[in-house]
């Protein structure tokens, strides 16, 4: 079954514009569109043979890192209910990508073949990270998890939510996204604790804008 990569890329850009990302990034809509435009070609080049998205797995996600996560999380929603982060802003901003998570430099990039981690439900984030690494995949960061549910809110389902083991704060907390009172919630769990309703999300790779 085919998939219109260009149309999906344009949909994701439109979603970000509708949610106010340009202004929050300190950019005009035109400048914001120009910032992400080179990634359109990257999506097309990498996405010629991808499968259509499902709640569990999507072909690619556009990630913007110009806006603090507490602000982007507040722009997520599930069936009209806005998301929220169960962190103080300074605490949340203290989470950063772990070693060996190759986040591209720059304010915008794509991640590919994003899986919310069904096979790691009821597996500790520590053990799930071993599995993901053995599969030559990469765990999602906080920014990436928020981006996933911004573009695909249906990725959050009852008993099928996910940890973001690609971000840590120098302690044993692992950020995670789940549903609380019908709305998206960004919280955390312990790296050594399993939860039957929580997997660990991953992607097959990432790519930034091509060099000019």
């Amino acid at each position: 079954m085919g998939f219109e990569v260009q149309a999906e890329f344009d949909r994701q850009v439109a979603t970000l514009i509708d949610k106010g990302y340009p202004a929050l990034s300190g950019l005009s809509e035109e400048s914001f569109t120009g910032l992400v435009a080179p990634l359109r070609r990257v999506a097309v080049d990498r996405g010629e043979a991808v499968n259509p998205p499902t709640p569990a797995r999507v072909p690619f996600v556009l990630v913007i890192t110009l806006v603090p996560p507490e602000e982007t999380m507040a722009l997520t929603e599930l069936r009209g209910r806005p998301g929220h982060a169960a962190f103080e802003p300074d605490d949340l901003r203290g989470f950063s990508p772990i070693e060996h998570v190759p986040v591209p430099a720059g304010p915008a990039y794509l991640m590919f073949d994003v899986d919310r981690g069904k096979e790691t439900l009821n597996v500790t984030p520590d053990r799930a990270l071993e599995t993901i690494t053995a599969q030559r995949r990469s765990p999602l960061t906080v920014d990436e998890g928020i981006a996933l549910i911004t573009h695909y809110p249906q990725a959050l389902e009852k008993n099928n939510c996910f940890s973001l083991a690609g971000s840590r704060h120098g302690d044993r907390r692992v950020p995670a996204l789940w549903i609380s009172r019908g709305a998206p919630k960004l919280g955390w769990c312990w790296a050594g604790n399993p939860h039957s309703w929580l997997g660990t999300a991953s992607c097959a790779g990432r790519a930034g804008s091509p060099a000019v």
Side-chain angles (χ1 to χ4, degrees):
M1 183 176 179
F3 175 68
E4 293 292 334
V5 173
Q6 296 183 62
E8 172 57 19
F9 182 86
D10 293 343
R11 182 193 73 83
Q12 293 191 23
V13 174
T15 294
L16 297 175
I17 290 173
D18 289 345
K19 287 182 175 293
Y21 271 65
L24 290 172
S25 302
L27 300 171
S28 67
E29 184 176 320
E30 181 180 8
S31 295
F32 183 84
T33 302
L35 175 73
V36 300
L39 291 168
R40 196 172 194 265
R41 176 160 59 88
V42 177
V44 172
D45 290 346
R46 292 279 296 266
E48 292 180 349
V50 300
N51 294 317
T54 69
R57 198 163 191 151
V58 303
F60 66 87
V61 172
L62 176 58
V63 184
I64 304 295
T65 59
L66 288 170
V67 187
E70 69 273 12
E71 295 184 29
T72 55
M73 187 62 202
L75 297 174
T76 64
E77 60 179 276
L78 186 62
R79 291 183 285 276
R81 294 177 178 267
H84 69 284
F87 296 88
E88 291 297 324
D90 288 345
D91 189 27
L92 181 54
R93 295 180 195 184
F95 283 86
S96 58
I98 63 173
E99 188 178 6
H100 306 308
V101 170
V103 175
Y109 63 92
L110 293 167
M111 57 176 175
F112 295 93
D113 187 23
V114 185
D115 188 313
R116 68 184 178 191
K118 181 179 180 180
E119 69 177 73
T120 55
L121 289 170
N122 209 31
V123 176
T124 70
D126 278 345
R127 184 62 60 84
L129 189 56
E130 294 176 3
T131 299
I132 289 167
T133 301
Q135 295 172 341
R136 297 183 182 275
R137 294 178 63 84
S138 183
L140 266 57
T141 66
V142 167
D143 284 332
E144 292 168 351
I146 294 173
L148 173 59
I149 66 169
T150 295
H151 298 299
Y152 292 98
Q154 64 271 30
L156 281 180
E157 289 188 313
K158 184 179 180 181
N159 299 323
N160 279 274
C161 298
F162 47 89
S163 295
L164 305 170
S167 288
R168 296 293 287 272
H169 201 327
D171 53 29
R172 294 289 289 166
R173 293 179 299 165
V174 177
L177 286 162
W178 65 85
I179 302 169
S180 176
R181 298 183 179 180
K185 179 178 179 179
L186 175 62
W188 59 271
C189 61
W190 296 115
N193 286 3
H195 296 281
S196 62
W197 46 273
L198 207 59
T200 299
S202 67
C203 67
R206 303 170 177 86
S209 296
V212 178

